[in-house]
Amino acid sequence: MHPAPPVGATISRVKILSIQSSVAYGHVGNSAAVFPLQRLGHEVWPVLTVHFSNHTGYGAWRGPLLAPADVAEVIAGIEDRGVLGDADAVLSGYQGDPAMGAVILDAVEKVKAANPDAVYCCDPVMGDVGRGMFVRPGIPEYMRDTVVPRADIVTPNQFELEFLAGRATDSPRELLEAVDVVRGMGPRHVLVTSVLHGDVPDGSLEMVAVSDEGAWAVTTPLLPISPNGAGDVTAALYLAHLLTTGSPATALEHTAAAIFTVLEATLAAGTREIQLIAAQDAIADPPKRFAAKPYAT
């Protein structure tokens, strides 16, 4: 188990190596994470694992799935520039193959060897309520047993948390118990998204952040949409705000305010692609919309 990024040791401008998918049309993976991070004033080094025409939720797409060896070559080229030690964090999302996961973990090892203060933020993309697991067989177990233990920060949704912990989360107490199981694997910071249980008010949704410093929750209205890419934006924003503020509670408030504004704009536009550009001012300067409160059990 490794220590949490030191609260208070903040970084004004973060440099992030983001290893994720990319799409030409729409916003998922790096195509969802890079712009919000840049809008906040951070440096992002996007490494692409696929380059598709659009996200796979449309049912049809074109473009290449990049070979793990090719992704490793790109990272090696960054290493050749002698700048891996400048990275403050590595960010990853969907990992469709253990071989790609191995490339990502190798990059994490290299970045941390060059900069021991760097952190790894893993969004363990595997599935969701109503859809079940949507990754290849074996990937969930690989994420749980190999990837998550190497992460400093993980951002599962409630469904993914239950798989990682191997238990239900039907109450605040059960959710925190599940988070403790995951934190026992290695990550010190856990952000749980899309939280719904009997204690969440009707028409609402919770986001819960847990660290060595405590546990906090933000409650937002539940909007009647669930677009692709929202989780990718959430992970990127939480990582950036955690590193720049040093406060999980503040990072939670900023992240919830920004992503809710993005989702509001998406609902108003009536599109299936998240409205990052329309909501960019709220990303750059999150409004004070939701207060993080100690998570009571």
Side-chain angles (χ1 to χ4, degrees):
M1 203 155 53
H2 28 72
V7 171
T10 58
I11 308 166
S12 59
R13 189 173 74 171
V14 181
K15 296 182 180 69
I16 298 173
L17 175 64
S18 183
I19 310 172
Q20 301 195 59
S21 61
S22 174
V23 294
Y25 173 77
H27 303 286
V28 298
N30 267 334
S31 301
V34 172
F35 174 72
L37 290 170
Q38 291 174 331
R39 193 65 178 82
L40 284 166
H42 304 308
E43 292 283 352
V44 190
W45 307 336
V47 174
L48 312 185
T49 57
V50 309
H51 186 54
F52 289 163
S53 54
N54 50 270
H55 68 66
T56 59
Y58 286 96
W61 63 93
R62 296 173 185 257
L65 177 70
L66 300 181
D70 291 334
V71 177
E73 274 292 290
V74 173
I75 296 168
I78 299 172
E79 185 180 20
D80 290 344
R81 304 285 72 75
V83 296
L84 282 186
D86 295 339
D88 301 297
V90 178
L91 173 63
S92 72
Y94 170 75
Q95 298 181 25
D97 186 280
M100 189 66 75
V103 170
I104 293 170
L105 292 179
D106 182 64
V108 170
E109 183 176 346
K110 289 178 178 178
V111 168
K112 289 194 169 196
N115 177 12
D117 292 330
V119 299
Y120 172 35
C121 179
C122 169
D123 183 12
V125 178
M126 296 178 288
D128 205 350
V129 173
R131 298 178 63 189
M133 291 293 184
F134 49 68
V135 295
R136 289 170 46 188
I139 294 298
E141 292 78 12
Y142 176 75
M143 295 294 290
R144 179 191 63 202
D145 301 336
T146 303
V147 179
V148 167
R150 299 277 294 276
D152 301 283
I153 306 162
V154 291
T155 62
N157 61 36
Q158 186 178 10
F159 176 87
E160 292 160 343
L161 172 68
E162 290 184 341
F163 171 79
L164 293 173
R167 61 179 65 197
T169 57
D170 297 327
S171 69
R173 177 182 59 81
E174 291 182 349
L175 187 132
L176 287 182
E177 288 174 349
V179 169
D180 284 344
V181 171
V182 172
R183 293 181 75 237
M185 297 176 182
R188 306 313 301 150
H189 291 275
V190 178
L191 176 71
V192 189
T193 63
S194 303
V195 174
L196 286 170
H197 49 62
D199 287 23
V200 177
D202 288 343
S204 299
L205 192 68
E206 281 186 345
M207 191 182 297
V208 180
V210 184
S211 73
D212 290 344
E213 291 73 41
W216 299 267
V218 158
T219 304
T220 68
L222 175 61
L223 298 175
I225 55 171
S226 183
N228 295 73
D232 303 325
V233 178
T234 299
L237 291 177
Y238 187 72
L239 168 63
H241 288 307
L242 184 62
L243 292 179
T244 55
T245 69
S247 166
T250 302
L252 178 61
E253 290 178 345
H254 289 347
T255 301
I259 193 64
F260 186 79
T261 304
V262 169
L263 293 176
E264 274 187 323
T266 304
L267 181 61
T271 65
R272 64 183 300 173
E273 295 292 346
I274 52 175
Q275 295 296 294
L276 290 182
I277 308 306
Q280 62 178 288
D281 291 343
I283 292 170
D285 186 17
K288 291 183 170 66
R289 301 190 66 172
F290 308 108
K293 299 179 180 178
Y295 197 52
T297 60

